[in-house]
């Protein structure tokens, strides 16, 4: 359990770093970098939430016969659960504030797909004309 706990803490550190990157101003060269960082953070959170939940449930056990952790470990687990909740809340807020950027990116992707389809159609028509000639 200790090894897994350490892995979870390391993954939570990563999620926090992704969120920091997501809330930083986007570099001119990659205007959508914050979205990628946010998606990476959310993906880490989805992975962490159920696992940390298991540790938290054990840490909150009141029955002395069923207690798995000593007071120090229980305290560490609850601190990590608290951090996770904070990170999840920050990710939600960031998701809202980055929504316009996400819409802009999907609009650009749609426009790009449309251009590609039109080019493919034009090429097919040109090929058909060349065959007919």
């Amino acid at each position: 359990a200790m090894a897994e706990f350490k892995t979870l803490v390391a993954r939570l550190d990563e999620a926090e770093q992704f969120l920091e990157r997501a809330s930083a101003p986007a570099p001119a060269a990659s205007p959508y970098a914050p979205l990628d960082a946010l998606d990476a953070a959310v993906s880490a959170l989805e992975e962490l939430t159920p696992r940390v939940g298991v540790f938290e449930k054990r840490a909150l056990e009141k029955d002395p016969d069923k207690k798995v952790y000593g007071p120090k470990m229980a305290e560490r687990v609850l601190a990590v659960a608290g951090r996770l909740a904070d990170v999840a809340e920050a990710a939600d807020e960031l998701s809202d504030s980055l929504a316009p950027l996400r819409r802009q990116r999907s609009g650009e992707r749609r426009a790009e797909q449309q251009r590609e389809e039109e080019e493919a159609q034009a090429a097919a028509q040109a090929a058909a004309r060349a065959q007919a000639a």
Side-chain angles (χ1 to χ4, degrees):
M2 271 316 294
E4 189 193 357
F5 186 70
K6 280 192 177 129
T7 307
L8 292 177
V9 171
R11 190 79 171 114
L12 182 56
D13 291 341
E14 274 177 17
E16 284 175 334
Q17 284 158 11
F18 285 133
L19 264 194
E20 262 171 49
R21 254 179 270 162
S23 49
S30 47
Y32 299 121
L35 290 176
D36 296 330
L38 174 63
D39 291 342
V42 167
S43 163
L45 289 171
E46 283 170 355
E47 195 183 299
L48 282 165
T49 303
R51 295 305 311 142
V52 172
V54 171
F55 278 89
E56 187 180 17
K57 197 177 159 195
R58 290 182 197 146
L60 292 169
E61 181 58 63
K62 295 281 179 256
D63 184 340
D65 297 330
K66 290 183 185 163
K67 273 192 179 177
V68 185
Y69 308 132
K72 268 201 180 129
M73 179 65 183
E75 206 174 292
R76 281 174 60 196
V77 168
L78 296 177
V80 166
R83 262 178 69 198
L84 179 65
D86 290 344
V87 174
E89 196 178 315
D92 276 346
E93 284 168 16
L94 211 48
S95 184
D96 289 344
S97 60
L98 290 177
L101 187 64
R102 194 176 293 280
R103 280 195 295 275
Q104 184 185 329
R105 181 170 70 177
S106 30
E108 278 180 21
R109 283 181 174 167
R110 270 197 302 276
E112 204 176 303
Q113 281 172 333
Q114 206 172 348
R115 260 197 315 275
E116 285 168 8
E117 283 165 22
E118 285 164 8
E119 283 166 16
Q121 263 176 333
Q125 283 165 354
R129 275 197 300 273
Q131 260 178 339

